[in-house]
Amino acid sequence: MNSVKKTTKIDVDKLSGEFYFQSLLQEAYVKGVLSPKESERVQLECLKLLADCTERFTKGKSSSVRVEIAQGIMASNLYTIGIHLKSLADVDDALFQIENESIENLYEYGLQVLKRKIKVASYFYNRVCKTKLKTPNQAYNITIDQGFKPFFENYEINFHAHEIPSDIDYQLIHPVTDLAGVEFVIKYLENLYYENLFCSYFDADIIDEVMSGYHASYRNLLDNICKQVFHNALGCQLLNVPLHPLDFSLADLDALDQQLKKHSQAELQRQLKTAAQELITQLQLTNPSLKKYLIAALPEIATTVFKGLVTHTLNKVFVPRNNPNIKPIRHYNMGIKMDDAAYREMVTEFLSCRFFNDKLAIIKEQIKTLADMEDLLIAAELKAAEAAMIFDLLEDIELAVLTKRHPLHPAIDAIDYSASEVQMQQNLNAYMRALPRDRLAKILGMTTTIEVV
């Protein structure tokens, strides 16, 4: 056995996390670290290991299996060897063992590493469960409560070590990539633990209102909770207002817009990094891995903030809280409709007019309630420009009522609404999108506090 390790020129950045052993062999062969003879010996020993494992898989009853099963066992073997090699001090140690240990021994060492890593996964899973956030988000709850049970109950290291028998839907701030098997599970649970840990510094009910402000149906979304909490916390820090409410008024958002819009994206990232460091200090975060996890999210957040400034959608980045359990406090009566005969006569006269100004005159003279206006807007099947002229006649609260009653949902409109209703929704949506930003925000704010009677 050689007593001195070779010094290699292998670029470790080119090595795969998921297929470590295979990528290391390829790089070593290309760089001439492994000779053709050594490479051939490794391949032959891998095939012998496959034959031995296949015999164990069939319990000695057969010498052959289906191709896809053999491929799966081989992938598992190579993953197991790779997980051992990755546990060594460096790539030189890994190559030294490849050259001086049998593949069978490397595989056995890998099995021992796998058993230890399952315990690490169990540790992080217990940490995740103990710090679990109280939230109605289904993907989050199902992933933690049910998603990992198949892994801890069915993970099989002898023939399926590279697989992940889990049901994981919830998205993380930092998605786990280039890992498989137990390594994927460990990294996912570790990241989720850091996210839970950060969220634990804020009240669960406040977080629920933040996420309800992000989307009224967030409980059914896969979107990450911690990311939005971090966004709002950074926004509060930038404004130098109390952190724990995690809330913004329209004036706050305007102030943020004025404060940030003068910065380039690179300057924004520096501003956010300063705010994040101040946030870490103020919350007295002591876990170094958590701090590193949060700081690593800043480049993507800076891009999101920059886009929000450019598109005037900063309220989608730093979202005002919304309590979905607060009942509407403003009642609006749409009025009594005119009798059917009078309504039909009015519509007939309206449709027969050649010039739209004459139609507007009919509306001003004969329509006295929003209920009749709503019916006419649907029945007349107006073009967008014509509808806009009618919407101009309405007050903000009337536009808010119509918006609340006729939201545009293209995915379901074709099924649940008539063509004339869909046309009216599209006209209203186009009109609202063309309004000045401040007026639109005011009208949309009204929709959350109106109850139509």
Side-chain angles (χ1 to χ4, degrees):
M1 181 178 292
N2 298 333
S3 58
V4 179
K5 294 185 295 183
K6 297 179 181 178
T7 301
T8 73
K9 296 181 180 180
I10 289 178
D11 184 356
V12 295
D13 291 333
K14 292 183 178 180
L15 302 181
S16 167
E18 184 175 356
F19 306 103
Y20 185 81
F21 182 38
Q22 298 95 307
S23 62
L24 179 57
L25 288 177
Q26 180 178 352
E27 285 296 307
Y29 183 77
V30 169
K31 295 293 177 63
V33 179
L34 279 183
S35 67
K37 184 177 180 180
E38 289 172 323
S39 180
E40 183 181 2
R41 189 266 305 171
V42 169
Q43 292 180 54
L44 290 174
E45 289 189 15
C46 285
L47 290 174
K48 182 181 182 302
L49 177 63
L50 173 61
D52 293 342
C53 290
T54 300
E55 185 176 0
R56 288 197 295 271
F57 180 80
T58 63
K59 298 180 181 179
K61 295 180 181 179
S62 174
S63 60
S64 62
V65 294
R66 295 198 306 272
V67 172
E68 58 268 25
I69 292 177
Q71 290 173 336
I73 294 175
M74 176 64 89
S76 178
N77 292 348
L78 298 179
Y79 173 82
T80 301
I81 295 170
I83 210 168
H84 162 65
L85 296 176
K86 279 200 285 185
S87 72
L88 301 176
D90 54 39
V91 70
D92 290 331
D93 277 342
L95 287 168
F96 182 80
Q97 289 210 3
I98 290 173
E99 293 176 324
N100 296 283
E101 292 274 7
S102 69
I103 291 300
E104 183 179 1
N105 283 348
L106 296 181
Y107 174 75
E108 291 298 328
Y109 299 154
L111 289 177
Q112 298 308 311
V113 176
L114 281 172
K115 292 174 183 177
R116 294 197 297 269
K117 284 187 175 291
I118 292 172
K119 293 181 180 179
V120 175
S122 180
Y123 166 81
F124 275 113
Y125 181 65
N126 288 332
R127 294 285 89 197
V128 166
C129 290
K130 287 183 178 180
T131 56
K132 184 171 179 280
L133 177 65
K134 182 182 176 183
T135 175
N137 184 265
Q138 295 181 14
Y140 176 88
N141 290 324
I142 292 174
T143 295
I144 296 176
D145 296 339
Q146 303 173 27
F148 288 97
K149 286 184 179 180
F151 173 81
F152 290 109
E153 293 174 357
N154 303 319
Y155 184 53
E156 212 289 311
I157 64 173
N158 292 298
F159 309 111
H160 306 285
H162 62 301
E163 296 179 0
I164 310 169
S166 302
D167 185 11
I168 305 170
D169 290 328
Y170 183 67
Q171 304 298 307
L172 299 173
I173 291 178
H174 299 296
V176 180
T177 59
D178 197 30
L179 290 175
V182 67
E183 288 188 304
F184 176 94
V185 172
I186 289 173
K187 191 61 179 177
Y188 182 96
L189 289 170
E190 182 182 6
N191 287 1
L192 183 55
Y193 168 59
Y194 297 144
E195 294 185 9
N196 283 357
L197 197 57
F198 179 71
C199 288
S200 70
Y201 284 82
F202 301 92
D203 183 83
D205 290 334
I206 287 178
I207 292 176
D208 183 50
E209 291 183 16
V210 168
M211 294 308 298
S212 295
Y214 171 77
H215 196 287
S217 301
Y218 93 91
R219 67 183 59 205
N220 301 317
L221 302 180
L222 301 179
D223 296 51
N224 185 270
I225 297 172
C226 182
K227 180 189 291 186
Q228 191 57 60
V229 173
F230 190 31
H231 281 192
N232 275 33
L234 285 171
C236 291
Q237 190 65 49
L238 288 167
L239 286 168
N240 198 28
V241 298
L243 288 175
H244 289 91
L246 294 173
D247 201 11
F248 306 98
S249 65
L250 291 178
D252 290 332
L253 292 173
D254 285 338
L256 269 177
D257 184 83
Q258 294 298 319
Q259 177 182 336
L260 301 177
K261 68 180 182 181
K262 58 188 177 183
H263 296 306
S264 67
Q265 188 167 330
E267 291 169 336
L268 269 177
Q269 187 167 328
R270 287 192 288 271
Q271 288 274 322
L272 288 168
K273 185 173 182 180
T274 299
Q277 290 168 338
E278 293 170 349
L279 170 67
I280 288 169
T281 300
Q282 188 167 339
L283 290 176
Q284 297 181 334
L285 304 186
T286 57
N287 187 305
S289 296
L290 170 58
K291 291 188 281 187
K292 183 178 179 181
Y293 189 85
L294 294 173
I295 295 298
L298 294 177
E300 183 180 345
I301 294 175
T303 300
T304 302
V305 173
F306 187 75
K307 289 180 179 177
L309 291 166
V310 171
T311 59
H312 305 293
T313 56
L314 205 59
N315 63 325
K316 301 297 183 183
V317 182
F318 306 110
V319 300
R321 281 165 45 190
N322 175 50
N323 187 337
N325 298 317
I326 296 178
K327 295 183 179 180
I329 57 176
R330 189 172 187 179
H331 297 84
Y332 184 88
N333 191 321
M334 295 184 65
I336 300 174
K337 294 183 179 183
M338 65 178 68
D339 64 68
D340 290 344
Y343 175 75
R344 286 195 298 271
E345 183 178 343
M346 183 271 296
V347 171
T348 300
E349 183 181 359
F350 179 92
L351 295 176
S352 66
C353 289
R354 180 179 178 184
F355 300 106
F356 200 77
N357 284 338
D358 295 332
K359 294 181 179 182
L360 289 177
I362 292 173
I363 290 174
K364 294 175 182 178
E365 180 180 344
Q366 299 190 40
I367 293 187
K368 306 301 181 184
T369 68
L370 186 60
D372 285 331
M373 181 70 83
E374 180 185 59
D375 286 345
L376 179 64
L377 285 165
I378 294 172
E381 298 185 2
L382 303 163
K383 295 179 181 179
E386 296 172 335
M389 295 175 71
I390 297 178
F391 291 136
D392 281 338
L393 302 176
L394 302 179
E395 297 179 358
D396 285 354
I397 190 169
E398 294 172 315
L399 290 170
V401 170
L402 290 178
T403 300
K404 188 178 183 71
R405 287 172 56 81
H406 298 279
L408 181 63
H409 296 300
I412 62 173
D413 283 345
I415 299 174
D416 294 342
Y417 297 95
S418 67
S420 56
E421 288 175 313
V422 172
Q423 182 64 54
M424 187 271 191
Q425 293 172 5
Q426 292 173 341
N427 289 340
L428 178 59
N429 182 65
Y431 179 80
M432 295 292 288
R433 287 167 61 89
L435 292 177
R437 185 161 58 97
D438 291 344
R439 187 183 176 199
L440 175 61
K442 177 184 175 184
I443 294 172
L444 293 179
M446 288 181 179
T447 65
T448 65
T449 59
I450 289 177
E451 185 175 78
V452 182
V453 296

